[in-house]
């Protein structure tokens, strides 16, 4: 694996607009994942390491698009019915060999069968009448009808899949169609994930007074899994600097990314920051966003470290809008730029200027489009809002007073991978 420079995240600054932060990531962060080969059946969700070209055309030869009769267009009467003797039969997979290739006549042909040399048009069987070894063809068909041309889907030598693409099922089918059984992909990004806090409990364990169940680690693990990372769940670490430093050192040595939520503030029991600094360095980015407190970026040696906020909504939003682009770059993936759709605001809302803000909302159909309904409780700790909502209304830095009926940008969770 490649490694980052010692000062990769040393961006500094006060409140940083999100777009500026993403631009700095683009400038400073490079791929750390090596290239390897994956069989098609194991390549789903993997990231292509290089462009893939077609070694042959698809289809590889002219063929029939229907069951019917292959003819030479020049032999058809454009004004009256044409009667042609049937001089051959070709099914899919058969060689296009005729006893007399120069004889006048029609060839019984089936979908996918190779067009015999010199034949340029196919008449659908439903539009013909076969009698006594001959076929009767009505006038009106156009030259080249129902004929698929070699390479009309994919030309030989063409780039069919670009480097950085996250492979989808249809991509695997396309690769198979040109005869590929394996693809060059990036190794899975090895991500270490942990939580800290004496108050945290594993789901299913007893939780007495003052204890809470660890939700963030499971949400983050799911998000990392969807991005194709190889996730090491390090569990819950106690509020002990020595124990945290030891776990971080081991994680940094064997992973490409270390990620946590909470524990990086300046409180007496926030030991993650000091532990990271003892092993490398840490930089706080104060992003001008809501929800989301400062995001901690640092390095354990030269392994990137990301400390996300502790509140569950803030941790998911900052992961989706900030950590994901970072992970895409480290993984060698083309950075996903989520698309927004204009909808009608079904709520009033005030926000501070110079801050990007996301409002959890559901969509309802209305005349001429959609209306976004704001979830009633918008606190950064209301995780249920992320399951009840269908996405986020994204409010730009210059917006301050949103009124019902205004047009706003809606960001579906499907665009974010959530």
């Amino acid at each position: 694996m490649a490694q980052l420079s010692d000062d990769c995240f040393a961006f500094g600054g006060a409140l940083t607009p999100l777009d500026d932060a993403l631009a700095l990531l683009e400038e400073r962060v490079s791929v750390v994942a090596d290239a390897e080969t994956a069989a098609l059946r194991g390549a789903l969700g993997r990231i292509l390491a290089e462009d893939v070209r077609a070694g042959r055309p698809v289809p590889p030869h002219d063929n029939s698009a229907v069951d019917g009769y292959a003819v030479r267009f020049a032999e058809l009467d454009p004004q009256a019915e044409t009667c042609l003797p049937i001089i051959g039969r070709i099914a899919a997979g058969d060689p296009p060999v005729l006893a007399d290739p120069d004889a006048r006549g029609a060839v019984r042909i089936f979908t996918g069968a190779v067009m015999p040399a010199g034949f340029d048009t196919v008449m659908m069987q439903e539009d013909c009448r076969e009698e006594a070894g001959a076929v009767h063809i009505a006038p009106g068909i156009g030259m080249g009808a129902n004929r698929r041309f070699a390479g009309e889907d994919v030309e030989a030598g063409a780039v069919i899949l670009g480097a950085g693409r996250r492979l989808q099922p249809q991509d695997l089918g396309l690769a198979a169609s040109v005869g590929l059984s394996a693809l060059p992909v990036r190794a899975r990004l090895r991500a270490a994930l942990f939580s800290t806090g004496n108050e945290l409990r594993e789901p299913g364990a007893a939780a007495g007074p003052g204890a809470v169940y660890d939700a963030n680690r499971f949400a983050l693990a799911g998000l990392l899994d969807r991005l194709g990372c190889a996730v090491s769940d390090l569990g819950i670490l106690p509020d002990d600097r020595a124990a945290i430093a030891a776990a971080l050192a081991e994680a940094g040595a064997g992973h490409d990314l270390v990620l946590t939520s909470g524990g990086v503030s300046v409180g007496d029991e926030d030991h993650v920051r000091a532990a990271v600094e003892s092993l490398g360095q840490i930089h706080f980015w104060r992003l001008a966003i809501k929800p989301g407190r400062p995001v901690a970026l640092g390095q354990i040696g030269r392994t990137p470290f990301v400390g996300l906020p502790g509140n569950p909504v803030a941790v998911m939003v900052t992961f989706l809008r900030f950590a994901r682009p970072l992970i895409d770059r480290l993984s060698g993936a083309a950075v996903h730029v989520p698309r927004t759709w204009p909808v009608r605001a079904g709520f009033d809302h005030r926000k501070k200027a110079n801050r990007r803000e996301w409002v959890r909302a559901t969509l309802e159909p209305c005349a001429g489009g959609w209306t976004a309904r704001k979830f009633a409780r918008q606190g950064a700790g209301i995780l249920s809002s992320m399951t009840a909502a269908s996405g986020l209304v994204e409010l730009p830095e210059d917006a301050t007073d949103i009124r019902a009926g205004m047009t706003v940008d809606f960001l579906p969770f499907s665009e974010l991978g959530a």
Side-chain angles (χ1 to χ4, degrees):
M1 294 286 176
Q3 291 184 319
L4 301 180
S5 62
D6 289 329
D7 61 350
C8 176
F9 295 134
F11 302 136
L15 284 175
T16 305
L18 178 66
D19 288 342
D20 291 351
L22 295 177
L24 286 169
L25 285 184
E26 181 178 4
E27 176 186 335
R28 300 289 185 89
V29 178
S30 57
V31 181
V32 301
D34 292 332
E36 59 187 33
T37 300
L40 285 187
R41 288 299 298 271
L44 183 64
R46 303 294 296 274
I47 297 161
L48 271 184
E50 59 187 62
D51 290 348
V52 174
R53 294 183 179 273
R56 62 180 293 183
V58 178
H61 41 64
D62 291 3
N63 68 89
S64 176
V66 298
D67 292 344
Y69 299 86
V71 298
R72 300 179 183 94
F73 184 76
E75 294 183 350
L76 300 180
D77 188 327
Q79 304 298 328
E81 183 179 84
T82 302
C83 181
L84 295 173
I86 299 172
I87 61 173
R89 182 183 188 277
I90 304 174
D94 290 347
V97 178
L98 300 179
D100 184 358
D102 297 321
R104 178 179 182 274
V107 176
R108 182 72 167 110
I109 198 166
F110 298 87
T111 304
V114 179
M115 292 285 290
F119 289 72
D120 51 32
T121 302
V122 179
M123 194 71 183
M124 293 181 63
Q125 63 184 20
E126 296 92 329
D127 299 327
C128 300
R129 186 177 79 259
E130 184 178 330
E131 291 179 353
V135 61
H136 298 262
I137 301 172
I141 193 170
M143 182 176 179
N146 302 313
R147 173 188 178 185
R148 300 187 185 120
F149 290 88
E152 73 173 32
D153 185 4
V154 176
E155 294 183 358
V159 174
I160 58 170
L161 298 169
R165 185 179 182 90
R166 195 178 302 279
L167 292 167
Q168 303 299 313
Q170 58 268 35
D171 301 331
L172 305 185
L174 185 59
S177 76
V178 299
L180 296 174
S181 61
L183 292 170
V185 298
R186 293 289 179 183
R188 295 186 186 277
L189 194 75
R190 300 170 300 172
L193 176 64
F194 71 95
S195 298
T196 64
N198 291 337
E199 78 282 9
L200 296 179
R201 299 289 184 273
E202 290 284 357
V212 295
Y213 290 116
D214 184 7
N216 288 350
R217 203 173 89 250
F218 290 88
L220 289 172
L223 292 168
L224 290 166
D225 284 339
R226 283 195 171 182
L227 293 180
C229 296
V231 182
S232 297
D233 186 349
L234 302 183
I236 301 168
L237 299 177
D239 287 325
D240 179 271
R241 176 177 169 179
I244 293 172
L248 280 174
E250 182 177 356
H255 294 86
D256 307 306
L257 171 69
V258 178
L259 186 142
T260 187
S261 63
V264 290
S265 190
V266 294
D268 291 343
E269 296 301 323
D270 292 320
H271 301 292
V272 175
R273 177 179 180 178
V276 173
E277 289 177 328
S278 71
L279 301 168
Q281 52 188 322
I282 196 164
H283 312 281
F284 272 101
W285 265 20
R286 300 181 63 221
L287 298 179
I289 62 175
K290 181 183 179 181
R293 293 180 296 182
V295 175
L297 283 176
Q299 291 165 243
I300 300 168
R302 291 190 175 181
T303 300
F305 166 81
V306 180
L308 298 177
N311 284 321
V313 175
V315 76
M316 291 197 69
V317 170
T318 52
F319 181 96
L320 295 170
R321 292 300 275 125
F322 181 75
R324 175 175 179 174
L326 168 65
I327 292 168
D328 283 345
R329 296 193 182 283
L330 293 171
S331 303
V335 175
H336 173 70
V337 179
R339 296 168 295 176
T340 60
W341 276 264
V343 300
R344 186 178 303 166
F347 57 89
D348 296 334
H349 185 81
R350 292 190 62 84
K351 64 175 281 292
K352 292 182 178 180
N354 303 316
R355 181 174 72 183
R356 185 83 57 95
E357 189 167 325
W358 294 278
V359 174
R360 283 143 276 164
T362 56
L363 289 184
E364 295 179 0
C366 64
W370 296 86
T371 295
R373 299 293 181 189
K374 179 180 174 181
F375 189 78
R377 293 168 293 152
Q378 290 287 314
I382 308 298
L383 184 56
S384 59
S385 65
M386 296 294 284
T387 61
S390 51
L392 306 169
V393 172
E394 184 167 281
L395 303 175
E397 285 79 0
D398 58 357
T400 56
D401 192 10
I402 292 83
R403 297 294 178 185
M406 293 176 59
T407 298
V408 293
D409 290 331
F410 185 77
L411 186 57
F413 285 139
S414 58
E415 274 296 304
L416 294 168

